[in-house]
Amino acid sequence: MTDLAVTPTVVSALNKARLLAEEDAREQIAFSAAYADNYRGPVLVVSAQRLRRNVQRFMAALPRVRPHFAVKANPDAEILSIFHQQGTCFEVASIAEIDAMLALGVDMETVFYSNPIKSSLSIKHGAASGIVWYCVDTPEEVEKIAAIKPDAKLYLRIQVSNEGSSWPLAGKFGASSKGVDALIDICKKLDMQLCGATFHVGSQCTNIHNWVEGIRAANGIFAQLIAEGFSPELLNLGGGYPLQFSGQEPSIEDIAAVINPELDLLPKSIQIMAEPGRYLVGSAGCLISQVVGIATRDSARWVYLDTGVYGGLMELSQNFPATLVSQRTGEAGVWTMAGPTCDSIDVLGKHRLPINTEADDIIFMPNLGAYCTTCACDFNGFPTPTMHMVD
């Protein structure tokens, strides 16, 4: 990819994008600020208005793409209900998530089971619950499903580049070209319906070309399926649509401008869907935490929060983008940030906070509506963040 020339126009555009990202963070802090005044422990404040707006924006940018919220991003019942009311469908990965769909009363034929490796028990539960569509990327998974639900519709997960993603998913899942051939062979042998293709560009992806590569690869798979006697019906674009941390991440409109022309080349008979998780819920949630202690270790300054790796901030320990805003003002400095537990892995990397930071300071963390409360546990007796909805 060609680097941008650093011209006044480019600098102006980058500054504007950064300011928009900062404005977005301020909006999240504003709707959560009241919960800092009477602080009782870490809390994730979620805006219902932002949830609705995110769905509407996704649908407007990608009119041919049917959004299926990735339930794992935040399975809170109230969040799922809001998305259901807004017209989204859903993607699940476990028995608990299937049960959440049953409780919500959704049409189970619109629920897609996208975990490429599923237990026999969960496949049986999905089949009994009315799920029709199942993801596969190995012959063994096809055999497993065929023994339980021979009339299932299968969609094939293929490998694509995860370059430019903050949380790559390639390697654990996705069939190579050789793997695709093996899957086609086993589906023909077992008379299974191989009806679609899917891919995942990696979480918080900033490289739009990954989607282009995936769409083109899937189109090639469709030609191969037709040649083998199958009838393709589905293209699943997966997730990875990024939030705005620095302002340099592509917006959903930027992504749409590039991939919509690619989608227009697909036959109208192909149902196009996607699995946005972080995009739909992430910017609707702001985590409020508190400094419980500071320390100087030789020349290094440490700040300890009341929540950490075990309290919903696992991604920060892997250098995932983050925005931290302190209620305290002043010159910023570099701190090593850690959680409250006695475990040495509970360290969250280096972050900028005011150099005069003290215990009991309140810290806001925008863009944490996804993979925060759902990834938290009460290890060492420290409470997980509670979640509160505001309109």
Side-chain angles (χ1 to χ4, degrees), residues 48-81:
Q49 184 181 80
R50 290 291 294 255
L51 294 172
R52 291 188 287 266
R53 189 194 311 170
N54 289 345
V55 172
Q56 293 160 8
R57 186 175 172 185
F58 187 93
M59 290 179 168
L62 296 161
R64 194 177 166 187
V65 180
R66 188 174 71 189
H68 287 239
F69 176 60
V71 176
K72 61 181 175 291
N74 194 321
D76 177 79
E78 191 171 1
I79 289 174
L80 298 180
S81 179

Side-chain angles (χ1 to χ4, degrees), residues 9-279:
T9 301
V10 170
V11 171
S12 176
L14 291 175
N15 287 338
K16 182 179 179 181
R18 176 180 56 79
L19 291 172
L20 288 173
E22 291 175 356
E23 180 182 340
D24 185 66
R26 284 195 295 270
E27 181 181 324
Q28 294 181 51
I29 292 169
F31 70 63
S32 60
Y35 286 85
D37 295 336
N38 190 30
Y39 190 81
R40 291 291 183 271
V43 55
L44 179 70
V45 185
V46 177
S47 166
Q49 184 181 80
R50 290 291 294 255
L51 294 172
R52 291 188 287 266
R53 189 194 311 170
N54 289 345
V55 172
Q56 293 160 8
R57 186 175 172 185
F58 187 93
M59 290 179 168
L62 296 161
R64 194 177 166 187
V65 180
R66 188 174 71 189
H68 287 239
F69 176 60
V71 176
K72 61 181 175 291
N74 194 321
D76 177 79
E78 191 171 1
I79 289 174
L80 298 180
S81 179
I82 289 172
F83 286 151
H84 186 38
Q85 293 165 11
Q86 290 296 304
T88 70
C89 298
F90 297 91
E91 175 267 319
V92 298
S94 67
I95 289 175
E97 292 178 4
I98 294 170
D99 288 344
M101 297 296 94
L102 294 171
L104 192 58
V106 305
D107 177 359
M108 296 303 288
E109 291 191 4
T110 68
V111 176
F112 282 62
Y113 203 154
S114 283
N115 190 340
I117 305 295
K118 301 164 284 294
S119 70
S120 296
L121 184 62
S122 66
I123 296 169
K124 291 175 183 176
H125 192 68
S129 301
I131 294 179
V132 176
W133 288 90
Y134 299 80
C135 179
V136 295
D137 67 357
T138 64
E140 292 84 353
E141 193 72 5
V142 175
E143 292 173 339
K144 197 190 308 176
I145 296 170
I148 297 168
K149 187 170 174 59
D151 62 341
K153 290 189 173 183
L154 307 181
Y155 50 110
L156 165 62
R157 180 159 170 174
I158 57 176
Q159 289 180 352
V160 295
S161 172
N162 278 198
E163 180 183 355
S165 298
S166 295
W167 199 277
L169 300 172
K172 184 177 182 181
F173 299 120
S176 64
S177 57
K178 182 178 179 181
V180 169
D181 293 340
L183 279 156
I184 290 175
D185 288 344
I186 193 67
C187 285
K188 290 175 66 175
K189 177 182 177 181
L190 298 177
D191 196 26
M192 294 294 289
Q193 301 177 78
L194 188 52
C195 302
T198 185
F199 58 86
H200 202 297
V201 298
S203 192
Q204 187 68 14
C205 181
T206 60
N207 182 4
I208 302 177
H209 186 71
N210 288 356
W211 279 282
V212 175
E213 175 191 326
I215 293 167
R216 293 176 179 175
N219 207 13
I221 297 295
F222 294 154
Q224 189 176 357
L225 290 177
I226 291 170
E228 295 289 349
F230 295 97
S231 300
E233 302 176 27
L234 175 78
L235 171 59
N236 180 351
L237 304 177
Y241 312 93
L243 304 183
Q244 297 296 313
F245 287 96
S246 68
Q248 297 184 40
E249 300 87 351
S251 68
I252 194 65
E253 290 80 14
D254 294 332
I255 295 170
V258 175
I259 71 172
N260 277 338
E262 298 287 333
L263 298 178
D264 287 342
L265 299 176
L266 298 174
K268 298 301 181 185
S269 59
I270 299 294
Q271 169 68 60
I272 304 173
M273 59 170 283
E275 299 175 355
R278 191 186 306 276
Y279 178 81

